[in-house]
Amino acid sequence: MEQALEQARLAEQRGEVPIGAVLVSSTGDLLAADGNRIVELKDPTAHAEMNVIRSASKILQNERLDGCDLYITLEPCAMCAQAISLARIRRVYFAADDPKGGGVHYGSRVFSHPTCHHKPEVYDGIKADEAQALLKDFFAKKRKAE
Amino acid sequence: MEQALEQARLAEQRGEVPIGAVLVSSTGDLLAADGNRIVELKDPTAHAEMNVIRSASKILQNERLDGCDLYITLEPCAMCAQAISLARIRRVYFAADDPKGGGVHYGSRVFSHPTCHHKPEVYDGIKADEAQALLKDFFAKKRKAE
């Protein structure tokens, strides 16, 4: 999670919302680490989770990431949660909850439906305060600048 | 929708599940047309809808596709539905319902939650029989080959 937080800080330096993600293989090797790149790439789908899933799939030359684990600084939205399911990721560890945009504990609750074909194990609240502080600072600074 | 179906047929020729999508600008210009490329790109997120959203955002150099309309041959999954919301797409027209994997009328029902910040207008059932026939044929052939 420390590496995911580092990616969140790097994202902030690029002017992105500070969210980071890290994908680890079933043998514990780091496959991909990235943050949001929505503004940079002009791509509404370039969330940190999507970026590492796409990178890792390319590296492994496999559209299924069986046995891989994902670390994220914020609860994934419905897009990222469904991508996690489609990629067959084994475990998801995330830091802060996201009552406004989350798709795991809130809103769409993507993993909670009988039609969700693959449900990862979910572990939340890891370094949540640190992740949340990054986001709060970012939005406070943004409001001040407006 | 005819062009989306053509993209679905092209996807099938590439060995992909036959699903196609077309993105049209607010002035009616064709921005992007594509089908699934999951197998080809080894990318679990390379659904037809995601491909055209990413292409169109790049073309317009804008992560928001305000006023754009999306035509799809199948009800989008939760990933694609959330991407549609994030991209601020105005109208979604889709052909066949997808009770097993859909995320609009079924499962996650992404646009139905108060935390969904942008809900597009949704029109379904357009050329649904044709889209469904393509999918049925594809899976029947696949089962036969196994």
Side-chain angles (χ1 to χ4, degrees), chain A:
Chain A
M1 191 59 80
E2 205 42 73
Q3 288 184 59
L5 284 163
E6 181 55 28
Q7 288 298 329
R9 283 186 281 265
L10 290 170
E12 182 166 18
Q13 287 171 22
R14 295 191 300 268
E16 306 276 351
V17 178
I19 301 168
V22 168
L23 235 167
V24 177
S25 78
S26 57
T27 52
D29 297 315
L30 177 77
L31 285 173
D34 209 347
N36 277 17
R37 292 189 184 269
I38 298 158
V39 181
E40 176 195 346
L41 301 177
K42 306 286 179 209
D43 179 353
T45 77
H47 285 191
E49 305 93 308
M50 299 296 276
N51 298 341
V52 294
I53 288 172
R54 302 184 79 228
S55 295
S57 303
K58 207 159 277 178
I59 290 165
L60 298 177
Q61 277 295 293
N62 196 332
E63 68 270 25
R64 291 197 177 183
L65 301 171
D66 297 285
C68 293
D69 298 333
L70 180 64
Y71 295 79
I72 326 163
T73 59
L74 187 69
E75 176 184 346
C77 75
M79 173 180 71
C80 297
Q82 181 67 34
I84 287 164
S85 178
L86 291 167
R88 304 289 193 273
I89 286 171
R90 179 176 54 177
R91 295 189 197 111
V92 175
Y93 302 86
F94 68 82
D97 268 21
D98 185 5
K100 283 187 186 170
V104 176
H105 295 325
Y106 297 92
S108 298
R109 292 182 169 80
V110 170
F111 304 139
S112 313
H113 306 282
T115 51
C116 179
H117 305 305
H118 170 82
K119 300 172 192 205
E121 295 171 37
V122 174
Y123 304 91
D124 60 1
I126 308 142
K127 293 183 182 277
D129 291 348
E130 215 169 314
Q132 209 139 38
L134 269 175
L135 287 161
K136 270 192 184 164
D137 279 4
F138 174 81
F139 287 112
K141 271 182 216 158
K142 218 180 159 184
R143 273 192 300 271
K144 220 173 169 182
E146 272 166 7

